[in-house]
Each structure stands twice: as structure tokens, then as C-alpha cells.
């Protein structure tokens, strides 16, 4: 079997899909994207495809080595995301070829269902009570919310109090038996994070995510040491090497993205690395159905998995949603806050190819907002 064609599809709301075709009629799908830079990743996929054409798709690990290390300049979000989508597609082909779901090829399942959470509140969190109530009524046992919108470099008492008030409102709806995760999104300085983390502790967050921007992960040891709340990070880290320092610092939860951190191959290894540090895996995935399908396959085969992000109803999904490009929504039917383990081969999801090709003709040019503080200086989004 040989790879004969690699195609990419720019589909709303902000995603990029790829399709890898073989001469035996088996095709695999992946989701290589950097949100806001999808067109750039598309070019990277085209360049990497030059190597893949004519190759045996089942040599997944060898291809991963060449795609990530075959160039003298390595790494970064664009290249790692391009590799990630191609890697997902190759695993999809392998599963379809062997007639087995990817989690079986990773060593078999360790669980029968995967806990998932729902997003509430948007980029500048609001209407939390109503949104959380709706998610509880839909059966979810966990939600995630941004702690704040833009935050000044030295947060005022009012800004700090507002974060605590939001999480208090969430806890009032959720009660003691459900969970709330709080995303700082790198919007907080380390000093602001220290103040807020102590005040959030009585509200028992599942974790606080990205307490500082990844460029300041050297500050994580101090934050972990003082924080009574479990800390999580990783959506902007792209390899085992980049996860090593945060894990050594003592983060509780590693959050690699299956569409950014080298795909199924690398995230499965990151999970094993995290396990040696007593950390759990909670893959980042505010993306489309292929990325989520890949995430679930890893989750089914990962002992130290904690919880899975998913994008149904997320505030970014304006023109399309999680189910817009799949034939059968069953793999993404969540019951009591869980996704059941399926037995379909490959990634376990059937992409609606006609819908994808039609959407690609329209395309998109999604960009994240650029925020500024009151004095006009740049603010972290």
C-alpha cells in the first residue's frame, strides 16, 4: 500500500482537515490546525506531503521521525500541527487496514467511557448561571470557564474579587459533586495568579489552567509550591521535551493538543511521561470532530487520563459545530457527561466528505481577537 494523495480542507468555523489517500482505496483523516493560522499550516502540510507521497502509510513511527526531525530546523506550533494532522490520518488508515480502533493498536482499552466537560461563559465570562444550568441539565458533570477577560498587570481588588465571584456562581449551580475547571489562559501575571489561587481554593476547582503564559513556565515551580489548587498547562507545548520542565515543576494535569503536539504518536508518549510524574492527561480540544476522535482514542488507552475537552456549543463555533462534518453523530453522543468507547476501525468517525469539500470552497479566515488594556498597551487574549 502506498500513499498517493494528500489533500487539505479549510472549513468553518476555524478548522483545517487533511485527507491521506492510498492506492488501495483506504483513506485517513486528520485535523492539522493552529487556530488563527490555518492557512499557514496548510502550506506546511503540502510541504511535508512531498515526503509522504509513495510511502507505505503503515510505517507511522518512522514517518513521524522523518517529518519532525528530517529538517535541520524543528518544532514550533506550525510544523508540529502539520505533523499532528498527518499522524492522525496515518493512524486512521492503520486502524481501517487492520480492522481495529486506534485505541486497540495503542495497547487496548483501559476504560469503557471517557469523561468530558463543556465550555461555558465565553472569552469574557458572562451568563454563567444560565449556561452552567443548561450543561447540568444536559448531563455534564464538569464545566470549564475562563477566570476573566483581560486582566491588568497588577489586578485590582475588584478584578480579583470578580474572578472569585464567577467561580462561586459556578459552584453554587454545580454543587459539591460536580467539577469546575478555571482557565487563566495566560492572561494573569504570576503575581496576580498567586493572589487568586489562594482565594479559589475553598471553591475546589478541578484545576486552574495556564496560570502564566508558556514563555514563563520557569515560574511554575514557585506557583506549584504555593498553590492549594492543582495546576494544569500544555495546550501551547508541542513535544515531550517541552513538557519535561512543567512536569518536573509538579503540574497536576498535562494538556497537550492532539492537533498541535505531534498527533496521536507524540501525545501517547507525553501521557506516559506525565504518568512517571504522577500527573494526569486532559487533552486540549476546542476543535473539530477529527481532533476530538483522535483525543478519545488516546484517552481510551491511557491509564492516567483525567477528562476530555470538547467543542460542542463552544463560543467559537459560529458557522459550523462539532457535528457539521460527520455522517454519524453517535461517537460524540455524551451520556451523563461521558463518551462511550466505540469499536469502529481507525479514529472511529466517518467524515462527511461532500460537506467538507463544499465547506472548503467557502473557506474561512478566522483570527483571534487582539486585546488592549485601558492605556492602549497589548493585553493577553
Amino acid at each position: 500500500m502506498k500513499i498517493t494523495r494528500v489533500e487539505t480542507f479549510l472549513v468553518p468555523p476555524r478548522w483545517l482537515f487533511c485527507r491521506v489517500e492510498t492506492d488501495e482505496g483506504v483513506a485517513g483523516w486528520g485535523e492539522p490546525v493552529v487556530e488563527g493560522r490555518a492557512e499557514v499550516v496548510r502550506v506546511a502540510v503540502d510541504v511535508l506531503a512531498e515526503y509522504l507521497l509513495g510511502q507505505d502509510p503503515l510505517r507511522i513511527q518512522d514517518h513521524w521521525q522523518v517529518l519532525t526531525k528530517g529538517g535541520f530546523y524543528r518544532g514550533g506550533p506550525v510544523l508540529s500541527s502539520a505533523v499532528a494532522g498527518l499522524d492522525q490520518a496515518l493512524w486512521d488508515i492503520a486502524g481501517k487496514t487492520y480492522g481495529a480502533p486506534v485505541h486497540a493498536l495503542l495497547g487496548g482499552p483501559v476504560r469503557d467511557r471517557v469523561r468530558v466537560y463543556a465550555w461555558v461563559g465565553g472569552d469574557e465570562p458572562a451568563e454563567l448561571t444560565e449556561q452552567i444550568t443548561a450543561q447540568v441539565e444536559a448531563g455534564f458533570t464538569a464545566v470549564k470557564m475562563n477566570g476573566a477577560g483581560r486582566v491588568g498587570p497588577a489586578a485590582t481588588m475588584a478584578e480579583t474579587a470578580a474572578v472569585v465571584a464567577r467561580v462561586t456562581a459556578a459552584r453554587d449551580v454545580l454543587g459539591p459533586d460536580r467539577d469546575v475547571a478555571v482557565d487563566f489562559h495566560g492572561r494573569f501575571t504570576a503575581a496576580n495568579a498567586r493572589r487568586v489561587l489562594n482565594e479559589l481554593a475553598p471553591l475546589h476547582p478541578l484545576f486552574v489552567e495556564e496560570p502564566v503564559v508558556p514563555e514563563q513556565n520557569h515560574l511554575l515551580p514557585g506557583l506549584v509550591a504555593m498553590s492549594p489548587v492543582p495546576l494544569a498547562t500544555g495546550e501551547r507545548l508541542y513535544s515531550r521535551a517541552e513538557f519535561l520542565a512543567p512536569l518536573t515543576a509538579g503540574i497536576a494535569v498535562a494538556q497537550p493538543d492532539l492537533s498541535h503536539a505531534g498527533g496521536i504518536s507524540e501525545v501517547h508518549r507525553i501521557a506516559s511521561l506525565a504518568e512517571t510524574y504522577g500527573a494526569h492527561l486532559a487533552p486540549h480540544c476546542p476543535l473539530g470532530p477529527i481532533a476530538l476522535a483522535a483525543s478519545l482514542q488516546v484517552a481510551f488507552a491511557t491509564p492516567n487520563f483525567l477528562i476530555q475537552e470538547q467543542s460542542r456549543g463552544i463560543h467559537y463555533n459560529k458557522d459550523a459545530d462539532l457535528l457539521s462534518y460527520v455522517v454519524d453523530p453517535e461517537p460524540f453522543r455524551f451520556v451523563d457527561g461521558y463518551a462511550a468507547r466505540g469499536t469502529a476501525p481507525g479514529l472511529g468517525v466517518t467524515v462527511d466528505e461532500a460537506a467538507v469539500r463544499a465547506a472548503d470552497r467557502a473557506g474561512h479566515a478566522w483570527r483571534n481577537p487582539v486585546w488592549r488594556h485601558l492605556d492602549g498597551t497589548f493585553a493577553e487574549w
Side-chain angles (χ1 to χ4, degrees):
M1 184 161 55
K2 304 295 182 185
I3 296 171
T4 55
R5 182 164 59 161
V6 177
E7 298 176 275
T8 55
F9 306 92
L10 199 65
V11 299
R14 56 179 191 157
W15 305 329
L16 181 70
F17 296 167
C18 71
R19 180 179 181 273
V20 177
E21 185 177 324
T22 70
D23 60 354
E24 294 188 10
V26 182
W29 288 85
E31 194 167 334
V33 67
V34 173
E35 301 93 299
R37 299 289 184 266
E39 304 96 325
V40 182
V41 181
R42 185 177 214 175
V43 175
V45 171
D46 289 343
V47 172
L48 294 177
E50 295 172 4
Y51 161 75
L52 286 175
L53 292 175
Q55 298 283 347
D56 177 356
L58 301 181
R59 294 175 59 92
I60 299 172
Q61 296 302 334
D62 185 60
H63 296 328
W64 192 93
Q65 295 292 322
V66 173
L67 293 175
T68 58
K69 301 175 183 178
F72 185 74
Y73 298 100
R74 307 172 181 178
V78 171
L79 178 59
S80 294
S81 298
V83 172
L86 292 167
D87 182 82
Q88 293 169 17
L90 295 181
W91 279 101
D92 195 25
I93 290 171
K96 291 171 179 174
T97 299
Y98 296 127
V102 167
H103 66 259
L105 305 184
L106 294 175
V110 296
R111 58 179 48 81
D112 296 321
R113 57 182 188 162
V114 164
R115 191 183 186 202
V116 298
Y117 64 79
W119 257 99
V120 294
D123 273 336
E124 300 195 72
E127 301 177 351
L128 288 167
T129 297
E130 297 86 348
Q131 291 188 39
I132 296 172
T133 298
Q135 298 298 353
V136 170
E137 290 174 350
F140 287 95
T141 61
V143 299
K144 189 170 81 174
M145 54 183 280
N146 279 308
R150 68 204 76 194
V151 181
T156 65
M157 181 183 291
E159 286 178 309
T160 301
V163 177
V164 178
R166 292 184 192 103
V167 182
T168 299
R171 178 56 69 199
D172 287 344
V173 177
L174 294 166
D177 297 321
R178 300 183 184 91
D179 286 309
V180 57
V182 184
D183 193 351
F184 282 11
H185 217 254
R187 297 170 183 170
F188 288 59
T189 64
N192 287 341
R194 287 189 193 95
R195 274 183 167 160
V196 179
L197 286 167
N198 275 317
E199 296 196 36
L200 290 180
L203 298 168
H204 204 85
L206 180 64
F207 55 76
V208 163
E209 179 176 338
E210 277 202 327
V212 290
V213 290
E215 303 94 296
Q216 295 178 354
N217 277 350
H218 58 281
L219 301 176
L220 284 174
L223 288 171
V224 169
M226 62 72 53
S227 177
V229 177
L231 298 184
T233 197
E235 69 187 66
R236 290 187 275 183
L237 304 177
Y238 312 113
S239 68
R240 284 162 288 163
E242 292 184 358
F243 272 92
L244 185 58
L247 288 167
T248 302
I251 62 166
V253 182
Q255 298 175 294
D257 188 306
L258 271 288
S259 283
H260 299 329
I264 291 169
S265 295
E266 184 71 346
V267 171
H268 192 235
R269 292 188 284 256
I270 290 169
S272 295
L273 177 65
E275 187 178 17
T276 67
Y277 285 89
H280 283 81
L281 189 78
H284 177 256
C285 190
L287 295 171
I290 305 169
L292 180 56
S295 300
L296 292 173
Q297 293 297 329
V298 170
F300 288 126
T302 299
N304 56 318
F305 169 82
L306 179 66
I307 197 166
Q308 178 62 56
E309 181 173 27
Q310 54 85 29
S311 71
R312 186 181 298 179
I314 200 170
H315 47 288
Y316 303 119
N317 293 354
K318 305 295 184 184
D319 302 315
D321 209 334
L322 182 65
L323 304 181
S324 298
Y325 304 110
V326 297
V327 173
D328 181 5
E330 186 63 22
F332 307 124
R333 186 168 70 90
F334 307 130
V335 178
D336 298 330
Y338 286 85
R341 179 170 60 87
T343 58
L347 296 180
V349 62
T350 302
V351 174
D352 186 339
E353 187 172 332
V356 169
R357 293 186 183 279
D360 178 60
R361 288 193 285 271
H364 69 82
W366 188 87
R367 301 289 183 265
N368 64 248
V370 175
W371 283 357
R372 295 191 179 274
H373 294 300
L374 292 177
D375 64 359
T377 56
F378 175 80
E380 289 287 347
W381 166 68

